[in-house]
Amino acid sequence: MQLLDGKLLSENIKAELAAEVDQIKLKGGKIPHLAAVLIGDNPASQVYVNSKIKSCEQIGFTSTMVRRSGDVSEEEVLEIVANLNNDPDVDGFIVQLPLPKHIDEEKIMLAIDYRKDVDGFHPVNFGRMAQGMPAFLPATPFGILEMLRRYNIETSGKHCVVLGRSNIVGTPISILLSRKGYPGDCTVTLTHSRTQDLPAEVRRADIVVAAIGIPQFVKGDWVKEGAVVIDVGINRIPDASRKSGSRLVGDVDFDSVAPRCSHITPVPGGVGLMTVTALLMNTLKACRKEIY
Ligand code: GUN
C-alpha cells in the first residue's frame, strides 16, 4: 500500500508556483492576487481560509481577506462581490461556503464574474468543464486529478465509484474522470443516499472517491484488493486520548481499508492540501489569462 502524500505533492507544486512568481518578478509582470471572502465564524471555514491566505504568502502571491460577521446582509455580500469583480488587481477570488442561512448562496455564486471564479463553482465554468472546454476546474476535483497524474495512476478503462453527488466534489469529479484523456477515460458510477447496496457498488471499484461527509463510512470489506482510494472527507470526531479532545478523520475507515489498497490518501495530509494548491494553480491561470 502506498500513501498518496498530499503534503509532499502540495509542497512540490507550491515550490513550482513560487519559482513562477520569481520569474514574473524578474520580468516585471503582474503578481497573482487571490482574494477570499469569509462570512461569520464557522471554525472550519476560518481554518480553510487562513490556510489559503497563508499559502499565498508562502509562494509570493498577493492575497486579500474580506471578513464580515454572520449578520451581514445579502446586499453587502453582493456589493463585496461586485467590488472584487471590478478590482483590476484581483485576478481571482472565492466566497467561502457555507454562507449564513439568510444569504442565498446560489445568488452569490451567480454574481461572481466567471473569469475570476477560481473555485470553478459558477455554472459557466461548470458547463464548460462538462463539455471539455477550457474552464476553471473546481479546486478539490482539480487537486484529485493532479494527484492521480503526479503519482502516474492508471485511469483508462478503470471502474471508478464516486460516493456523494455534491456540486463541488462528487458530480464534477465523476464528469472529469469520465472525460476523454488522462486522467480520465474511467467508467464512472456516481452513488448517493438513494443508492441500493452501496457496499456492492464500492466492491466493483478500481478507484473509489469518497465525498459524503460521514466519518469513517467506507469499510475495509467494501473495498476490492488493489483499489485506489481517494478520501475527500474532513470530519472532526471526539478522541479523549488527544489533548484537544478530538481528531480529524476522513470518510474512509483508514485502518480497515488501507491494507487492501494499492494507494490511499491519508486524512489529514491528503486531498485537503491539494484543494488549496489547486486554488493557487487556478489563480496563476487567472492572472495569466490562460482560460479567459
Ligand atoms: N467550502 C468547502 N469547500 C469549499 C471550497 O473549495 N471553496 C469554497 N469557497 N467554499 C468551500
Side-chain angles (χ1 to χ4, degrees), residues 163 199 202-203 214-224 229 251-258 260:
L163 290 87
V202 176
R203 277 185 201 110
I214 304 175
Q216 299 167 312
F217 183 71
V218 177
K219 307 297 181 203
D221 66 349
W222 301 14
V223 174
K224 184 161 83 178
V229 175
D251 291 351
V252 172
D253 181 33
F254 188 88
D255 291 346
S256 65
V257 171
R260 304 173 68 93

Side-chain angles (χ1 to χ4, degrees), residues 165-178:
R165 54 181 158 184
S166 73
N167 285 341
I168 65 176
V169 184
T171 300
I173 195 68
S174 68
I175 293 169
L176 289 163
L177 285 174
S178 57

Side-chain angles (χ1 to χ4, degrees), residues 279-292:
L279 182 67
L280 302 172
M281 294 193 281
N282 275 345
T283 304
L284 181 64
K285 285 177 196 276
C287 180
R288 292 207 163 131
K289 312 254 182 276
E290 273 179 29
I291 314 266
Y292 301 108

Side-chain angles (χ1 to χ4, degrees), residues 4-6 9-10 13 118-119 137-151 168-169 173 176-177 183 230 232 265 270-282:
L4 297 170
D5 188 341
L9 276 192
S10 62
I13 297 170
V118 284
D119 252 337
L137 302 184
T140 300
F142 186 19
I144 294 170
L145 295 186
E146 201 57 28
M147 198 166 218
L148 295 171
R149 188 180 287 131
R150 289 183 182 238
Y151 273 94
I168 65 176
V169 184
I173 195 68
L176 289 163
L177 285 174
I230 309 290
V232 181
T265 61
V271 173
L273 296 167
M274 294 302 291
T275 297
V276 177
T277 308
L279 182 67
L280 302 172
M281 294 193 281
N282 275 345

Side-chain angles (χ1 to χ4, degrees), residues 24 83 90 157 179:
I24 292 171
N83 288 338
V90 171
R179 284 199 314 194

